[in-house]
Amino acid sequence: MRILWLCNIMLPMIAQQLHMEASNKEGWLSGLAGAVLERREKNGIELAVAFPAAGIPRDTAGVEEMIYDGCYVYKGMAKSGESGLLWYAFAEDTANPHLYDEKLELQMHAITRDFQPDVVHCFGTEYPHTLAMCRSFPQRERILIGIQGLCKVYADAYFASLPRRVINTVTLRDFLKKDSLRQQQRKFVLRGEMEYEAVRLAGNVTGRTAWDRHYTAEWNPNARYFKMNETLRPNFYTGQWNPEECEPHTIFLSQGDYPIKGLHYMLLALPAIRKVFPDVKVYIAGNSIIGEDSLAKRLKISAYGSYLRRLIRRYKLQEQLCFLGRLDAEQMKERYLKSNLFVCCSTIENSPNSLGEAMILGVPCVSADVGGISSIFTHGKDGILYEGFKGSDNSINNIRNKTEGENQSGENEQERIAANLADAVIRILSNAGEMGDYSTSARNHAKIIHEKEANYIRMTEIYAEIMNQTEESEKSQKQTLEQNRQNPRFVFVSNYINHHQIPFCNAMDKRLEGAFVFVQTEPMEEERVRMGWQAQTKLPYVKCFYEEPELCRKLILDAPMVLFGGVDNECYIQERLQSGRSLIRYSERLYKEGQWKAVSPRGLLKKYHDHTRYRKKPIYLLCSGAYVPSDFHIVRAYPGKMLKWGYFPETRHYDVDSLMNNKKADVILWAARFLDWKHPETALKCACYLKEKGVPFHMNIVGDGEQRPLVERLLAEYELSDCVTLLGYRGPDEVRGLMEESAVYIATSDRKEGWGAVINEAMNSGCAVVASHLMGAAPYLIRQGENGFLYNTGKPEQLYTYVEQLLRDRALCERLGRAAVADIENIWNAENAAERLLRFCETCETAEEGPCSPAEVISERKMIWKAL
């Protein structure tokens, strides 16, 4: 099995390889990774770990840099004994985990594409990278996410019955850092939204409490829930609490730097505890947020820290408190063992590891009965559970913020919880015999819950179960796919499949679960093969009419819906037409040489035979170009049954900021065959104009063909060799790479360009496109001055001035490029087109804009005025 772990930290063995500082957090992960690697021959697991990291040294031996759509991922192999651990490091803003960055999806895709995992195990739901993985990894039944906390629920409990005046307080530090209590709570809300989506997308969940099972089942009833207890940090499996060796009447809290951890409840409870135990002392690990006596440090205090400080002064608790700062695992263990009592006074928790660490060491414990704690800690046996922050367990919006009620309900709630906490602490500290019993029971219980070997075995069992279930599911899906291939619901007939059509066909095949067939009627032209247009030859949905005529004929006749386009010979669909069944035609324009050709009697007769006589039949027309409706309107075909359509080449999903930053601001691109109607000479005349105007630029021209002598002559005549480069033919991927570098793309074809997929590609690549208004794609894709420019084909000087304007105004050029990317990603793409076409086939519902929206009948003459 190939298992990919997605973690929030760099493991120490990896940090050692990179000569970087290792994290003290999540130490148990290293132990678990070591166990997996040591037993590789037995468990059959090939493990890789992905994690966020900044400043990976690129020159470190064994570190490989991978680039995917402008995003960087680093890859290496760390040694662990005899074994090696493959790792991937990606960029993430870990200081702001509430902010989602879509480029994470590209990085996750790059990692999974490289490693090809059988199972992806995400440790924690509350990180942006977990959602990015759930969004980007297509086999969601192979995603396993481990629940730690649940930010969505934590957000509702964040204010922890604080008084309203405290919640509304904003200190100087809060203002400058934009980190007030309300803003902190809002960050939890945002993280909770990401977490909620991740749980809904994942096919499998691990948890360990009734509380997390309740919520994950409510959020995603279809996910498989696996119980798997947590393994603690290695040092806590040795050592045992001894009452003779601890400081009398000392209480330990693992942290208290934000409201959920409930330090204010302890401060409110301490006066009552101090009456019984005057020498009581509370040690608090983690960041101290109460400030010091210096003015500079007090200015940095937060609203919550200020509130804690006021409570300390009001109840004169200075002598009872000791803030320890950050402790590593060994220091934490030492503090547990020196303490009389561990207290978890949180407002909400799932199953805090700090409580597990205290239990396994045998430290007597008191905890609030909140969240999932009662699943790992038994009241009256392992210690004392007291009634903490109250909330209903009935829905995901269960926990009400008590401070939002009337009057002083927050303070009343505080008093109740603090009194419960004080009673529990006094009771346990007052009975040494009871403390001993609790210590023994909790230790035995924790040994079972946190038993390393059992947890390791359970994890490998879960992986195996996911694999077995996935294999059975994939087998069933394969059978369904084979059945659907035999009985397609949608057949697309065209001359040949090419790289412009494949994304749309892939989207249709995916949506129809294999019930899709592309019937190719002829082999591809040799010239297009030389240009790199040769499509994949083993696409499972492609059938060739010239190889299997009887099968293809049957598919065309029997399918519920047939899309017919790109074929001059009507014989392929005659039987379908005569049957009276529904059909969709897919056509570029009829009169590419000019609508004056409509006067031909022979031509009109053919148009009547092929189209007009079916005007009242259930036959619709997808118009691949803005002038198609006008052409068919002339022959009175498809009245009210014409829809906007086009070609849908591959849509790439970029980090747009990176895309724009990598562009060369003065570079123009033109790419096409050198044909008279493609007008390569117009590109050279534009270059001549720019040079005469003194505009800095460089133009790359891709292509070749019959007009090459003219191109070379003009290049010499205009003396452009210093600013224009002829690159010859380039494959589709190379052209896209050039587009990604170019700021401006010019498209100069005339009306013979039925569509012009290069416009889609250039817009998707963030170019500011300037296109001839007679190209079929241009009026559909370009919104004048918003995502590009149209120029009047008969007035090429408009092209020249638009390009000059873009080169001189970089902000405008970038604005158009960004808008172009958005329009392709959101509207004019294969997935959207497939979804809309299938919806139209089922409901006859048209879209408001873009593919499958009603196609207007507009003449060439009026189109330029409408666009401008």
Side-chain angles (χ1 to χ4, degrees):
M1 290 183 290
R2 297 174 66 83
I3 307 297
L4 174 66
W5 284 2
L6 182 60
C7 308
N8 66 313
I9 63 160
M10 179 191 299
L11 298 184
M13 68 179 78
I14 301 170
Q16 183 177 4
Q17 177 202 1
L18 297 173
H19 308 293
M20 298 177 70
E21 185 178 351
S23 171
N24 288 325
K25 297 166 58 180
E26 318 290 1
W28 57 273
L29 264 176
S30 288
L32 195 56
V36 172
L37 294 171
E38 288 168 11
R39 308 183 199 185
R40 178 177 290 176
E41 290 187 9
K42 184 176 180 180
N43 58 40
I45 292 175
E46 186 173 346
L47 181 66
V49 178
F51 54 88
I56 295 291
R58 301 183 185 186
D59 56 351
T60 302
V63 174
E64 177 185 346
E65 185 178 76
M66 302 191 306
I67 305 175
Y68 182 77
D69 276 358
C71 292
Y72 290 80
V73 173
Y74 296 94
K75 174 183 176 182
M77 180 74 73
K79 283 292 182 182
S80 175
E82 297 292 324
S83 302
L85 176 64
L86 183 65
W87 58 262
Y88 298 89
F90 56 88
E92 183 177 30
D93 184 2
T94 54
N96 294 289
H98 60 288
L99 300 178
Y100 187 77
D101 188 344
E102 290 185 353
K103 72 181 180 184
L104 282 167
E105 296 174 31
L106 298 174
Q107 294 177 96
M108 296 302 109
H109 183 71
I111 292 167
T112 55
R113 187 181 64 170
D114 185 75
F115 183 63
Q116 296 291 313
D118 294 312
V119 177
V120 177
H121 188 171
C122 306
F123 289 87
T125 56
E126 63 269 37
Y127 307 106
H129 55 249
T130 298
L131 175 57
M133 180 62 77
C134 292
R135 283 181 173 178
S136 64
F137 190 61
Q139 296 171 290
R140 291 170 182 169
E141 70 279 5
R142 293 180 180 267
I143 296 177
L144 173 68
I145 58 175
I147 305 298
Q148 293 179 1
L150 288 174
C151 288
K152 186 173 179 63
V153 185
Y154 283 20
D156 293 326
Y158 192 82
F159 294 137
S161 59
L162 293 172
R164 188 177 300 174
R165 65 180 180 276
V166 176
I167 295 171
N168 293 331
T169 297
V170 179
T171 65
L172 178 62
R173 173 260 179 207
D174 295 343
F175 176 76
L176 294 175
K177 288 182 169 286
K178 298 181 180 178
D179 194 42
S180 68
L181 280 168
R182 290 199 178 277
Q183 288 169 318
Q184 290 171 22
Q185 193 259 0
R186 177 60 183 163
K187 291 172 186 177
F188 267 74
V189 169
L190 294 174
R191 295 179 74 181
E193 290 172 355
M194 291 187 284
E195 169 186 73
Y196 177 69
E197 183 182 345
V199 172
R200 289 187 61 82
L201 290 174
N204 306 278
V205 173
T206 65
R208 55 204 174 275
T209 67
W211 181 82
D212 65 39
R213 184 165 194 160
H214 165 79
Y215 282 103
T216 53
E218 191 170 84
W219 296 356
N220 185 357
N222 297 319
R224 294 184 72 194
Y225 182 93
F226 298 94
K227 183 172 181 181
M228 185 175 80
N229 290 317
E230 290 228 303
T231 300
L232 302 175
R233 293 180 284 182
N235 9 2
F236 292 96
Y237 288 91
T238 59
Q240 183 173 352
W241 179 80
N242 184 342
E244 303 297 326
E245 297 176 359
C246 67
E247 299 175 28
H249 306 146
T250 52
I251 300 170
F252 181 42
L253 275 62
S254 62
Q255 57 182 306
D257 55 354
Y258 62 108
I260 281 177
K261 295 304 175 181
L263 177 55
H264 54 288
Y265 296 129
M266 176 54 74
L267 299 184
L268 290 165
L270 264 179
I273 298 170
R274 186 171 54 187
K275 288 181 180 179
V276 181
F277 302 102
D279 60 341
V280 66
K281 191 159 188 175
V282 178
Y283 291 91
I284 305 109
N287 296 326
S288 172
I289 61 168
I290 63 168
E292 304 293 340
D293 292 332
S294 70
L295 177 61
K297 292 187 176 180
R298 289 186 61 185
L299 288 174
K300 297 179 181 180
I301 199 167
S302 66
Y304 184 58
S306 178
Y307 175 60
L308 296 178
R309 191 179 180 88
R310 287 199 304 273
L311 292 179
I312 293 168
R313 287 202 309 266
R314 180 191 306 170
Y315 297 111
K316 297 181 174 58
L317 302 174
Q318 291 86 345
E319 298 300 319
Q320 273 75 48
L321 301 175
C322 180
F323 289 90
L324 301 171
R326 294 184 180 182
L327 305 180
D328 62 26
E330 194 58 38
Q331 290 169 327
M332 285 284 289
K333 176 181 173 181
E334 183 181 351
R335 186 63 258 168
Y336 280 116
L337 295 175
K338 286 184 178 179
S339 301
N340 239 166
L341 180 66
F342 174 80
V343 173
C344 174
C345 47
S346 299
T347 306
I348 189 74
E349 292 280 3
N350 185 16
S351 62
N353 279 356
S354 57
L355 180 58
E357 291 169 352
M359 289 172 65
I360 204 166
L361 291 172
V363 182
C365 299
V366 165
S367 176
D369 186 4
V370 295
I373 287 178
S374 60
S375 291
I376 66 163
F377 185 78
T378 306
H379 173 65
K381 186 176 180 182
D382 299 331
I384 296 177
L385 286 176
Y386 67 90
E387 191 176 276
F389 188 80
K390 295 287 286 184
S392 164
D393 285 331
N394 297 324
S395 76
I396 58 174
N397 296 315
N398 66 337
I399 299 175
R400 295 178 291 109
N401 176 4
K402 297 296 183 180
T403 67
E404 299 300 325
E406 296 298 324
N407 300 322
Q408 304 236 333
S409 58
E411 293 183 0
N412 293 338
E413 181 81 352
Q414 280 188 335
E415 293 172 3
R416 179 188 65 80
I417 296 171
N420 293 340
L421 171 57
D423 289 345
V425 170
I426 291 168
R427 174 184 164 186
I428 199 167
L429 289 178
S430 299
N431 193 324
E434 204 173 62
M435 288 179 77
D437 293 341
Y438 288 152
S439 172
T440 301
S441 176
R443 181 170 166 79
N444 291 336
H445 190 182
K447 283 181 178 179
I448 296 171
I449 294 175
H450 303 295
E451 209 277 303
K452 291 186 289 186
E453 182 66 14
N455 294 342
Y456 161 77
I457 292 171
R458 180 58 182 145
M459 183 182 70
T460 57
E461 288 174 348
I462 292 170
Y463 294 157
E465 287 184 54
I466 292 172
M467 285 289 293
N468 292 337
Q469 183 198 35
T470 303
E471 288 170 0
E472 291 174 8
S473 174
E474 288 176 351
K475 183 178 179 180
S476 175
Q477 289 174 4
K478 186 176 180 181
Q479 292 173 345
T480 301
L481 190 66
E482 290 173 354
Q483 292 172 358
N484 287 344
R485 294 255 183 256
Q486 300 300 319
N487 300 285
R489 289 157 44 201
F490 197 105
V491 173
F492 183 2
V493 185
S494 191
N495 51 5
Y496 48 74
I497 193 165
N498 59 58
H499 68 285
H500 292 325
Q501 294 168 323
I502 288 174
F504 168 72
C505 293
N506 286 344
M508 291 290 285
D509 188 57
K510 181 178 180 180
R511 288 184 174 276
L512 291 168
E513 297 181 320
F516 171 80
V517 168
F518 183 97
V519 174
Q520 178 168 304
T521 62
E522 61 188 74
M524 184 178 289
E525 304 157 358
E526 284 300 321
E527 183 181 9
R528 294 190 185 272
V529 172
R530 289 198 304 272
M531 291 172 60
W533 277 38
Q534 183 63 54
Q536 301 172 44
T537 57
K538 296 183 179 180
L539 291 168
Y541 49 75
V542 174
K543 302 290 183 184
C544 296
F545 202 100
Y546 46 88
E547 294 176 354
E548 302 176 278
E550 292 304 319
L551 172 63
C552 293
R553 189 174 290 114
K554 186 176 187 304
L555 292 173
I556 294 169
L557 180 62
D558 294 345
M561 184 56 69
V562 173
L563 175 61
F564 184 72
V567 177
D568 292 330
N569 195 331
E570 295 285 306
C571 71
Y572 298 104
I573 58 163
Q574 278 301 311
E575 196 173 359
R576 177 86 183 195
L577 289 170
Q578 292 168 6
S579 72
R581 302 186 68 191
S582 297
L583 178 75
I584 299 176
R585 284 184 177 270
Y586 171 25
S587 180
E588 293 184 5
R589 62 181 310 179
L590 293 174
Y591 301 115
K592 290 186 176 182
E593 296 181 5
Q595 291 180 338
W596 58 270
K597 298 203 75 173
V599 301
S600 165
R602 179 180 296 178
L604 285 174
L605 182 61
K606 178 168 176 53
K607 301 304 182 290
Y608 175 81
H609 181 272
D610 293 349
H611 303 284
T612 311
R613 64 175 173 154
Y614 300 111
R615 67 197 311 269
K616 295 184 179 180
K617 301 293 184 181
I619 302 175
Y620 301 85
L621 181 67
L622 298 181
C623 302
S624 292
Y627 305 104
V628 177
S630 177
D631 286 359
F632 279 94
H633 179 70
I634 290 173
V635 298
R636 300 294 185 265
Y638 312 109
K641 294 187 288 184
M642 293 187 283
L643 305 174
K644 289 183 180 180
W645 199 247
Y647 286 92
F648 305 97
E650 177 195 4
T651 298
R652 296 186 179 180
H653 298 277
Y654 298 99
D655 172 1
V656 181
D657 290 337
S658 296
L659 177 66
M660 291 301 169
N661 289 337
N662 291 333
K663 284 192 174 291
K664 299 173 182 175
D666 59 351
V667 173
I668 307 165
L669 180 65
W670 184 96
R673 288 179 290 167
F674 288 178
L675 301 176
D676 58 350
W677 53 273
K678 298 279 189 179
H679 298 288
E681 77 283 357
T682 303
L684 292 167
K685 290 176 181 178
C686 178
C688 182
Y689 169 89
L690 295 171
K691 186 172 183 178
E692 290 176 353
K693 285 282 189 175
V695 180
F697 78 97
H698 187 89
M699 181 181 292
N700 289 318
I701 293 182
V702 175
D704 210 333
E706 62 190 41
Q707 293 284 301
R708 186 174 185 89
L710 172 64
V711 169
E712 291 176 341
R713 178 173 62 79
L714 292 177
L715 188 68
E717 182 180 324
Y718 296 152
E719 298 180 349
L720 298 173
S721 58
D722 61 329
C723 53
V724 175
T725 302
L726 303 183
L727 297 174
Y729 278 137
R730 290 289 189 270
D733 287 339
E734 291 179 276
V735 174
R736 285 302 289 268
L738 291 166
M739 288 176 173
E740 290 163 4
E741 294 178 356
S742 304
V744 178
Y745 185 89
I746 57 176
T748 57
S749 300
D750 60 29
R751 63 171 57 86
K752 290 184 181 179
E753 188 76 81
W755 178 256
V758 289
I759 297 180
N760 303 60
E761 294 171 328
M763 292 175 67
N764 181 211
S765 301
C767 297
V769 177
V770 185
S772 158
H773 88 283
L774 285 181
M775 295 179 69
Y780 277 0
L781 297 183
I782 294 178
R783 293 176 287 112
Q784 187 72 354
E786 296 182 29
N787 67 355
F789 285 117
L790 295 177
Y791 73 92
N792 189 324
T793 312
K795 298 180 179 180
E797 60 274 10
Q798 290 182 358
L799 165 69
Y800 313 156
T801 55
Y802 281 140
V803 174
E804 179 185 5
Q805 182 182 357
L806 290 169
L807 292 178
R808 293 190 185 278
D809 188 344
R810 294 188 177 184
L812 171 64
C813 189
E814 181 173 333
R815 178 170 61 80
L816 298 187
R818 287 179 177 271
V821 173
D823 280 351
I824 298 300
E825 287 193 347
N826 296 328
I827 302 173
W828 286 97
N829 59 73
E831 290 74 18
N832 192 40
E835 178 185 354
R836 291 183 176 192
L837 182 58
L838 290 174
R839 188 190 311 138
F840 176 77
C841 292
E842 294 172 1
T843 66
C844 288
E845 176 187 344
T846 59
E848 293 184 5
E849 61 173 341
C852 284
S853 61
E856 301 173 89
V857 176
I858 301 178
S859 68
E860 293 178 7
R861 183 172 56 84
K862 293 182 179 179
M863 183 65 77
I864 190 64
W865 299 111
K866 180 179 185 296
L868 297 176

